[in-house]
Amino acid sequence: MAASGGGNGVVVVFDFDKTIIDCDSDNWVVDALGATARFDDLLRRLPWNSAIVSLSPPPPLDAMMGELHEEGRTVEEVAASLRAAPLSPRVAAAVETAHALGCELRVLSDANAFFIDAVLDHHGLASYFSAVDTNPATVDADGRLRILPYHDFPGHGCPLATCPPNMCKGKVMERIIDEISCGGGGGGAPAARRRVVYLGDGRGDYCPSLKLTMMDYVMPRKGYPVWDLIAGDRAAVRADVREWADFEDLEAVLLGIVAECLTSEHDDADDGGEAVVVSPAAPPPAECRALPVTLASGQEAILPKAVHVPN
């Protein structure tokens, strides 16, 4: 992973499944390798995370990944299936533009390192992210993919029922906030740290949303579980909530937030440090909306809705 984009005071933290890619990566791989029925059977006998993530002790052979290996499916076949996962050009454009404007980009996901790396590398996006927090994954001496929990079992201690036992994203978000605070891990006051923009869709994205403050933004995907949870108790979330429905929305809303932050910082400097209140409904400045987008290939982006990317 690369260093941050240059430092404009904004840290953008992306979920992965149904946020960077428009599918659940676990299901995508299982379906692509023809193991859907067996995986459904596993889910009837094991909790969701046990079916994908190893428990310790004892590990259930990483359940589905172990079964695929036993029948001769290779790690390269897993990677090839991920290269076909749907990733919208709008997401690629949003990542590249936010980075070019000086944002630090991170991933916080309950997927796993192998799946995320395979997708980001394939689309030329890995270098834009400074860190990925997710379930670790390795390939063992037999060539089998091993996926482990982010937090050791029996659990992370978070009382929220929305956090799966293998990963509390809220605890990770607290660590990220500490890292970007004054002194880099010194636990500075919120005003002394960089702003966070958090994008997500699932139940597990609710806990990290609760860790954000009024200086931050949360971007829940409308119609998905995290949106329902936030809408059900809006007062519990202190951050500025900006919804998005599709990937055109994701790009426009994210770059609009970045433009607001840049404008606010500029105005703060001009006003000798006074806080500037920006309306939550304010559209991005015209210069940001007109910002040209160039993909890593050097070609001007053509930005349709989400598509399935060929291998």
Side-chain angles (χ1 to χ4, degrees):
M1 295 294 155
S4 60
N8 65 5
V10 180
V11 180
V12 183
V13 184
F14 291 85
D15 177 37
F16 182 70
D17 291 333
K18 301 179 185 176
T19 300
I20 289 181
I21 58 173
D22 196 17
C23 66
D24 180 279
S25 57
D26 295 344
N27 282 333
W28 181 268
V29 169
V30 168
D31 292 347
L33 298 183
T36 306
R38 280 176 294 149
F39 188 55
D40 288 344
D41 182 60
L42 273 175
L43 292 180
R44 283 190 286 269
R45 295 184 283 112
L46 295 170
W48 174 271
N49 293 99
S50 301
I52 287 292
V53 182
S54 290
L55 303 180
S56 178
L61 301 179
D62 308 322
M64 197 67 250
M65 295 298 104
E67 288 194 14
L68 290 170
H69 177 76
E70 289 298 320
E71 68 179 32
R73 308 310 289 263
T74 66
V75 169
E76 176 51 37
E77 287 179 282
V78 175
S81 71
L82 289 160
R83 291 194 286 270
L87 188 151
S88 171
R90 294 280 189 180
V91 173
V95 165
E96 295 181 5
T97 303
H99 185 272
L101 290 172
C103 298
E104 179 183 353
L105 309 181
R106 295 177 176 231
V107 173
L108 173 52
S109 170
D110 193 20
N112 67 81
F114 185 90
F115 288 9
I116 293 171
D117 289 349
V119 171
L120 296 183
D121 286 343
H122 176 64
H123 292 280
L125 299 176
S127 63
Y128 294 107
F129 292 90
S130 64
V132 174
D133 286 291
T134 189
N135 297 300
T138 61
V139 179
D140 68 16
D142 295 325
R144 199 192 106 189
L145 180 61
R146 305 302 306 265
I147 303 169
L148 303 171
Y150 186 88
H151 289 118
D152 290 335
F153 284 84
H156 39 65
C158 178
L160 282 185
T162 54
C163 291
N166 63 291
M167 187 180 208
C168 171
K169 290 186 178 183
K171 290 187 177 294
V172 183
M173 181 61 75
E174 288 177 332
R175 195 205 74 222
I176 291 172
I177 289 173
D178 192 51
E179 290 175 358
I180 65 175
S181 297
C182 181
R193 69 164 171 86
R194 290 177 281 165
R195 299 175 190 262
V196 173
V197 184
Y198 184 67
L199 299 85
D201 71 282
R203 284 167 53 84
D205 297 310
Y206 184 60
C207 190
S209 299
L210 298 178
K211 307 300 182 182
L212 304 178
T213 71
M214 289 185 292
M215 69 183 291
D216 303 310
Y217 299 81
V218 60
M219 288 179 55
R221 190 170 185 180
K222 190 172 183 180
Y224 284 72
V226 71
W227 165 255
D228 293 335
L229 288 163
I230 290 173
D233 188 5
R234 179 62 187 84
V237 178
R238 293 174 292 167
D240 191 341
V241 178
R242 306 288 182 91
E243 68 192 54
W244 60 281
D246 58 24
F247 295 104
E248 183 176 354
D249 281 348
L250 183 153
E251 181 189 28
V253 173
L254 175 58
L255 297 185
I257 290 171
V258 174
E260 287 182 15
C261 293
L262 294 177
T263 300
S264 176
E265 289 180 1
H266 177 74
D267 290 345
D268 284 351
D270 288 347
D271 296 343
E274 285 187 29
V276 176
V277 178
V278 181
S279 168
E287 61 270 19
C288 182
R289 295 198 299 271
L291 188 67
V293 175
T294 302
L295 298 180
S297 63
Q299 300 295 317
E300 186 175 346
I302 300 173
L303 304 173
K305 301 272 184 166
V307 294
H308 289 267
V309 181
N311 293 344

